Amino acid sequence: MNSLVRVAPAFRDMAHSIVWASVATVDPDGRPRTRILHPIWEWDGTDLTGWIATVPTPIKRAHLDAHPEMSVSYWAPTHDTCSADCAAQWHTDDETRKAVWDKFLHGPEPVGYDPRIIPMWADGPTTEQFAVLRLRPYRLRVMAGTVMTKAEGEPLVWRERETA
């Protein structure tokens, strides 16, 4: 098992280079649904936190009310892949929404962007159509494409705690 200190920076770097992720949630009846979202990740040397700026649709709300977890998966044409299984929490307070808006606005390329390009967010971070999801990973996996295509190296995996 790898340590978070080793895996989190590798995950963040690969995720930010790929940018767009397939994100899965589960509805109240146990059926999964995926969507494409654009998380930004922060690593402070101890904790990895993901932030997603999104429209708080009734479907997303119902899924996360029933099962407050998300699986986030990235893939690049080189077959580099990384994934994070996370606890997810809504933030709709103005302070957090403004802070996360600024994280995207001033984020490093290619993951940073001006959220106002989304028409329903033209009025800024306090519009009702703008909400934030905070992600706390409990499992990370990072695999360079060469692990699969050339049998070079091995995936990096971190779990918050081992299960029996």
Side-chain angles (χ1 to χ4, degrees), residues 30-51:
R31 297 175 300 199
R33 176 172 291 190
T34 59
R35 58 196 50 82
I36 303 298
L37 294 174
H38 182 172
I40 194 165
W41 297 90
E42 294 180 313
W43 169 245
D44 66 6
T46 303
D47 294 311
L48 180 66
T49 304
W51 300 99

Side-chain angles (χ1 to χ4, degrees), residues 59-127:
I59 290 172
K60 284 181 207 156
R61 286 196 172 281
H63 286 208
L64 292 173
D65 285 348
H67 303 284
E69 295 90 23
M70 297 182 104
S71 184
V72 181
S73 181
Y74 296 86
W75 174 84
T78 59
H79 299 300
D80 289 347
T81 61
C82 61
S83 59
D85 296 330
C86 307
Q89 181 182 21
W90 285 106
H91 288 271
T92 55
D93 63 283
D94 287 350
E95 182 180 339
T96 302
R97 293 190 302 163
K98 289 176 184 176
V100 171
W101 182 281
D102 286 343
K103 289 179 194 305
F104 281 100
L105 184 62
H106 302 294
E109 288 192 18
V111 77
Y113 71 99
D114 184 348
R116 288 186 197 274
I117 65 170
I118 309 296
M120 62 186 65
W121 297 346
D123 291 334
T126 58
T127 180

Side-chain angles (χ1 to χ4, degrees), residues 159-164:
R159 289 182 190 87
E160 185 174 62
R161 59 189 167 280
E162 288 295 320
T163 56

